Structure formats: C-alpha cells, structure tokens
Amino acid sequence: MSSSVRPGARRRALSTRVAALAVATSAVLVAAGCSSSGDSSSGGGATDASADISSVSLKVGQTGWAQTKAALEVAGLDNTPYTLEWPVFSGGDQQLQALQSSALDVAQSSEIPPVFAAAGGTVKFKQVAVQTGSTLFQEVVVTKNSPITSIAGLKGKKVGYVKNTTAAYFLNELLKESGLSWKDIQPRPLLPNDGLAALNGGSIDAFASYGNTIIQAHQNGARTIGSGEKILSGNFPWSVTTSLLSNASKKAAVVDLLARIDKAWRYVRAGHEQAYADKFAAATKQPVASALKQVQLQEAQRPTGIEPPTQTVIDSQQKVADSFLEIKALPSKVDVADLWSDELAAPLTTALAGTSASVSSTPVPSASAVG
C-alpha cells in the first residue's frame, strides 16, 4: 500500500479485497467439503507448485513455551520439507522486536505488540493471518492474603502489568468498567517473571498477566480479581518480515506451516488432548491433570485455528489500538489496516480448505463437562 494514499482509502481498499476473498473462501470450502479426505501424514494444504521450499529455513517465534511445535509433533505434522527453529520469548512484544530486526522470520502475538511496533517507527513486517484462540488465563491476580477483592480496590495501589501486551489492554478496560482510570492506579510495567516475583515479594499489590505466569500464580495461592476473558478478542496475528513476502519459496513455506498448524489443532481436539497436555505439563512444570484441564477448557471456549485476515479482525485490532491511545501509551493514532497484507490469503484459503476436508474432528467438549 502506497504511503501517498489516505488512511481511509487504504482501509476501504483492504476491506474490498477482504470481502472479495470471503466470497472466494466460501466457494473453496464448499468444493473442499465435496472432496475426499487427504493423507493425514501430509502437510496442511497446497502451496505454489513452482516454489522450491526444500532449502527454506524459518525462525518462528513462540511465547512462554513452544506450544505450536508441540501441537505439530502430537499430530505428526512436524516432518516439514523446510527447516524450522522455534525461539521462545517471554512476550509477544519481544517477538515483534525480533521480527523488526530480522532476528525472526515469523512471529505470533496478540493484537497488541504489532501496534506498538508500528508506533515505534518504520514497520518492517506484515500481519498475514490470524490464529483464533482462548481468552482464558488472562487475569489480574492478588496474593491469597491480600485485602483487595475487586478491581475497584486497586485505586491508589501499585499494579504490575506486562507492557505492550494484552495485560495492559484488559487492565485498562477492567478499570473503566469499575469507574476508574489508568491515572487512579500506580502502574508498574514488568516482565512476566519479574511481575510474579514482585507480587510474591509484596512490592506490588496486584499483577495483570497471562498464560504460564497466571498458572504459576495460582499454584502459589493467588486469587483472581479480574479477567480479560470477555474483553479480549482471542485473535492472535501471525506476522512475517516484509522481505519474506518478496520470496516465493518462503511465502509457500509459511502457507504450508499455517495450514499444518490448523490441521494439528483439529487433530488435538479429535481425542488427542492428553498427548498435548503431557508436553504442556513438562514445559510449564505443572501437574499433567492441570495441563489437561486447561487445554480442554481453552479449546471448549474458543477452538484454536488459523484464518485469513477479515475486516472484523482488522476492526478488532483498531479498537485495541485506540484504547492504548486513550491512556497515552501510544504517541499517535495507528491505522492498523496498514499493518495487514492479504498477499497470502488466497493460497492460505485453499490450504485451509484442505485441512478441513482431511481431518475428522470430534465435537469439542463443553466447558461444563471439563469443570
């Protein structure tokens, strides 16, 4: 998209392309539904037949632990014809920093880190797909002996949060719901592990975080006083370096990888949650039963999957960006439409149709069924 085009025009142009893609997607999915099942040992779907991906090497970021790699292993889809490395970071913001410096080829994060990366200067990445996922285990917690029982009780308190992530967003929204503002607390930006240590040590009164940090906090007896479950969208963009989009082989490899990820999660839900929970528990040092329950709860709430970008996804991220502008965390408004590319949308749609046709998924258990 040319920088000489007005932001509104860019949004309309992308919206038009997204709408056209939605029609094409429906046609492809209908056709896929009538086709025979694919080979479960193959990749997720079709790629550019003219692109040689055998020499491709991709560094793919992960947050907390290599959960995507684990899902591929469980489904037997880790046998890619290209090489993968899985660097692990403590947050999506660090992934985007690595992506900006070309230390990563592909990053996965919440909607928020790309916004801050864009606000920091020249954007060297594009968001090309979105992973749907659970919004559970995104919480504001206090120690078990804390007198604070609600978000309203945070007024004047020292509240830790993970900067430039979902934690900052849902904390701000929870404060507003309770009649407070960002100015009513003493915000303390902290990395996940540092924040957990600060909470346990008493140097902060509450901590807003996610994932493993929240799991560990509860293992220490922490109590939840607020949750991002109904605030967050559950959209997790997949981003690639801008230079990658000029490399046909790498683009084909990314499409194949994203389709494999979608297929792997369908396989996990089709009665293989235990195998994934075993890897989850080992990586996060928690009981297997606890890991299994979390997997079941998360997949029941919002099944993990891959989708091409849609206008709804773009609008959701814009809402998040505007919230950060509201608390003056951003220096100026970010037009998130500029961060998206539909360049992989068509081949990804075809590849995803293949994963839908080739995996026979059992119904996801209801949340009540798993406690």
Side-chain angles (χ1 to χ4, degrees):
M1 300 177 187
S2 169
S3 59
S4 64
V5 181
R6 299 171 74 93
R10 285 195 293 267
R11 278 195 297 271
R12 288 192 294 274
L14 184 57
S15 179
T16 299
R17 292 199 299 272
V18 166
L21 176 64
V23 175
T25 300
S26 297
V28 169
L29 290 175
V30 168
C34 298
S35 66
S36 60
S37 296
D39 180 359
S40 63
S41 65
S42 66
T47 58
D48 183 353
S50 64
D52 177 15
I53 59 177
S54 62
S55 61
V56 169
S57 178
L58 297 175
K59 291 184 178 179
V60 184
Q62 299 279 269
T63 294
W65 68 288
Q67 63 266 36
T68 302
K69 179 174 181 284
L72 292 173
E73 290 172 346
V74 168
L77 294 171
D78 57 324
N79 57 334
T80 58
Y82 41 87
T83 302
L84 293 171
E85 294 181 46
W86 301 94
V88 175
F89 300 80
S90 63
D93 56 331
Q94 295 180 4
Q95 282 197 52
L96 265 292
Q97 291 170 17
L99 194 68
Q100 282 280 71
S101 66
S102 297
L104 281 180
D105 299 294
V106 185
Q108 187 217 1
S109 68
S110 73
E111 300 165 299
I112 296 161
V115 171
F116 280 90
T122 303
V123 176
K124 299 179 181 179
F125 66 89
K126 287 291 184 180
Q127 298 172 125
V128 294
V130 65
Q131 180 167 309
T132 58
S134 171
T135 58
L136 300 179
F137 306 104
Q138 305 250 6
E139 303 174 5
V140 182
V141 295
V142 296
T143 59
K144 59 183 178 182
N145 296 321
S146 172
I148 301 171
T149 58
S150 67
I151 295 295
L154 295 179
K155 186 173 183 178
K157 301 298 184 181
K158 297 175 183 176
V159 184
Y161 69 100
V162 187
K163 187 178 180 180
N164 300 355
T165 67
T166 53
Y169 174 61
F170 71 73
L171 173 60
N172 182 50
E173 295 301 306
L174 287 169
L175 289 170
K176 290 193 293 185
E177 287 180 2
S178 298
L180 300 177
S181 73
W182 199 256
K183 294 180 180 179
D184 290 318
I185 64 171
Q186 299 180 52
R188 297 287 187 269
L190 296 164
L191 292 174
N193 290 338
D194 294 338
L196 184 59
L199 180 68
N200 293 335
S203 58
I204 58 175
D205 300 295
F207 187 41
S209 190
Y210 46 76
N212 296 343
T213 311
I214 294 301
I215 294 168
Q216 293 171 24
H218 285 305
Q219 289 173 346
N220 293 332
R223 293 184 289 106
T224 301
I225 61 168
S227 169
E229 177 182 353
K230 296 181 179 179
I231 293 172
L232 300 170
S233 67
N235 295 335
F236 298 87
W238 281 91
S239 303
V240 301
T241 59
T242 305
S243 61
L244 184 147
L245 292 176
S246 63
N247 185 310
S249 295
K250 286 191 173 183
K251 285 196 298 183
V254 170
V255 168
D256 180 82
L257 175 61
L258 292 173
R260 284 172 184 263
I261 294 167
D262 184 78
K263 189 173 184 177
W265 278 103
R266 290 173 184 270
Y267 181 86
V268 169
R269 286 192 297 275
H272 302 94
E273 297 96 336
Q274 184 67 64
Y276 181 80
D278 289 342
K279 291 180 177 290
F280 183 17
T284 56
K285 297 179 173 57
Q286 63 174 305
V288 174
S290 173
L292 177 59
K293 183 175 181 180
Q294 289 170 51
V295 173
Q296 292 174 327
L297 285 171
Q298 289 174 318
E299 292 304 304
Q301 188 223 16
R302 197 164 190 254
T304 304
I306 302 292
E307 298 176 356
T310 65
Q311 191 60 46
T312 299
V313 166
I314 296 168
D315 291 343
S316 171
Q317 190 177 35
Q318 188 64 60
K319 179 182 177 182
V320 170
D322 292 345
S323 176
F324 278 102
L325 183 64
E326 175 184 283
I327 63 173
K328 296 181 172 54
L330 291 173
S332 60
K333 184 178 177 67
V334 173
D335 184 3
V336 304
D338 293 343
L339 305 180
W340 287 92
S341 170
D342 59 357
E343 190 165 340
L344 301 187
L348 180 58
T349 298
T350 301
L352 292 174
T355 73
S356 178
S358 63
V359 176
S360 177
S361 177
T362 56
V364 176
S366 67
S368 59
V370 291

